[in-house]
Amino acid sequence: MSSRKELADFAGSFLFPRSLSSPIDERVQVSISTALFAYAAGDAFGVQYEFKEGYTVESHLTEIPDWPLGGVSDDTLLTLLSIQSLTSNTPAEARQQFIELLKANLPVLRGLGPTTRAAVGLPVKESEVHFIGNSNGAMMRTALLGMAFKSGDDLNRRQWVAEIARATHSHDRAVATSLIASKLFAVLLENPTADILTVAHAEAEAIGYDDYFSINFDPHLQVSLDPLHTLKTVIAIAHSSSTVEEAYLAACRQGGDTDTVSALSGALVSLRFPTLHGFYEIPWINQVMWSEISTSNSALEIIYRKRHCAVWVVGPVAWDSVKYHDGQSIERPGGTGANVAIALASTGTAVKFVSYLGDDELSHKLDRHLKSSDIEKLYTPIIPGPISHVAIPVDEKGERTIVVISDDKLDQVSLEGLPMSAGDIVAFVIWRNNFVKDLEIAQKAGAITVVGSAALTDPQVLRADYLIGSRDDFSGEYAIEQALTRFTYVVVTSGAEGATFYSAEGSIVQAAEEAKVVDTTGAGDAFLSALLHYLVINKTIDAKAMALAARWSALTVSAEGSIPPRFA
């Protein structure tokens, strides 16, 4: 049975992304990783037979002339470059980034197809000239991009895949087959039981690609570089195979472009049978030259982060001077905003942190601290003067008091001009009156909004999706019924007494998990991080989210430190 441990044992730390550690999204993470590895292994296996005649297919890797044992071809390497281009801000920028990456990586690319060679000015065989712009290379390297998009996010997926495909392939057939293949990966990742023939037909109809229905190929012919011939063969093999190895063998027995067909069909089978695909039992997979694709680490993170919305964390980064009751003193990074951003980013969530830094030595230390984290993007302009600095005495019960040494300058922080998207989450982890305009910016962008508890007593805040904070932060009494007229959901934490989630449908009471309390600093930050992470994946907060938050909070108070631990 496939699991995170099985994947980690197989891949090793150099391949398995350390930030993919969500305790509530393991199946999707393992499926993405396995599909990528199955693709690479199928490529390495299939390249042994590519466009050869008169051979017998056997389940092992063999040496071939001018090729390292277990080496992957351009299929895998170009796929990794295509995935890397997803980090661009727009599909058009991704197209250009792919070309730049292609040129930079030419020295290590083996087996380039005619269109890709032509795109960078390399010579093309006369017998392959007619394939330029209309070969299967675009589909080959963009199919896995489908996993970076939710199955219903067709508009975004089509825009990104089409642009990246057109970086080298201009023909409508090459682009259309890329879109159909990417749809298969998008759907099967979420729904392994989906019928791939039905999915392919539906996507072909949706994009107006009539050739998919009208053109058939002799099943006895070797698979050519024609993208439709390749796609139909891949679908037929993936539909009829029940294990990854079975797909590899069938692809190579078909002949022709065996590495592409083997890679794509094997990856699809791994998604169709997430617990029974048998990939990790294939005896020769450890012979694949995995060291050639060590960048798959970042590729997996890019796919995982792309398929979920981004979280914009707005709040302070600070320096904590901590003194425990036994006399021990610690100087360490902290700040509610930074703590939440770093903890949330450790799950693989795409986090954009909006704050500021000063021009003092502590700011330089905090800058290095933030840049060493998993936070995807920092918006931390320099504001002259010192950074926020607090003293934190911790008593024998682990309870802490915060004494401000240098106050923050959050009144000078703004979201204006930042590239938020509809569906992103914007979290003002502590509320300041000057954030009202930024809240409106987030709401106009179509973001889900989360505000700190001080917003409850700010009459300028007319509405927000979530209000989350500690009971200690509310000034005076409050009526939850009144709060729910302005905030769709309210979460109130009460330290050791637990927390309560309120909505129009009722409430959920979550007890605090038992823990040996060492330092309560960061407990609320961990609680909020867990709720945001759950919200990213499930688009809601429920009893499971509250239980997760209680667990993360307990882990945090059990250790010294302002920053919640990595959540594995």
Side-chain angles (χ1 to χ4, degrees), residues 444-519:
K444 287 180 181 177
I448 298 167
T449 52
V450 180
V451 296
S453 52
L456 182 64
T457 53
D458 185 346
Q460 300 178 90
V461 182
L462 303 179
R463 66 181 181 89
D465 296 303
Y466 291 85
L467 181 133
I468 303 174
S470 168
R471 178 66 185 88
D472 294 339
D473 295 335
F474 293 110
S475 56
E477 292 301 314
Y478 69 96
I480 196 64
E481 294 80 8
Q482 182 63 29
L484 289 173
T485 64
R486 298 161 58 207
F487 309 103
T488 310
Y489 307 99
V490 174
V491 180
V492 180
T493 63
S494 301
E497 296 177 15
T500 307
F501 170 82
Y502 299 97
S503 71
E505 289 73 42
S507 61
I508 300 169
V509 177
Q510 174 62 50
E513 280 201 4
E514 289 189 13
K516 182 179 179 181
V517 178
V518 176
D519 186 346

Side-chain angles (χ1 to χ4, degrees), residues 375-420:
I375 295 174
E376 185 176 83
K377 185 73 174 179
L378 295 171
Y379 295 93
T380 51
I382 303 298
I383 297 176
I387 194 66
S388 176
H389 186 186
V390 298
I392 305 178
V394 181
D395 66 21
E396 65 276 6
K397 295 181 180 179
E399 296 296 330
R400 53 67 169 134
T401 304
I402 296 178
V403 180
V404 176
I405 298 174
S406 296
D407 211 342
D408 65 60
K409 300 184 180 74
L410 289 180
D411 59 319
Q412 299 181 55
V413 171
S414 175
L415 292 176
E416 191 166 2
L418 300 186
M420 282 172 288

Side-chain angles (χ1 to χ4, degrees), residues 88-128:
S88 301
N89 291 321
T90 67
E93 289 178 15
R95 176 177 181 171
Q96 183 57 40
Q97 184 182 2
F98 175 79
I99 290 295
E100 292 170 1
L101 290 169
L102 174 60
K103 291 176 179 178
N105 284 273
L106 280 176
V108 298
L109 294 171
R110 292 189 298 263
L112 286 176
T115 297
T116 308
R117 292 200 300 272
V120 292
L122 294 176
V124 178
K125 296 177 183 177
E126 189 173 336
S127 61
E128 295 179 336

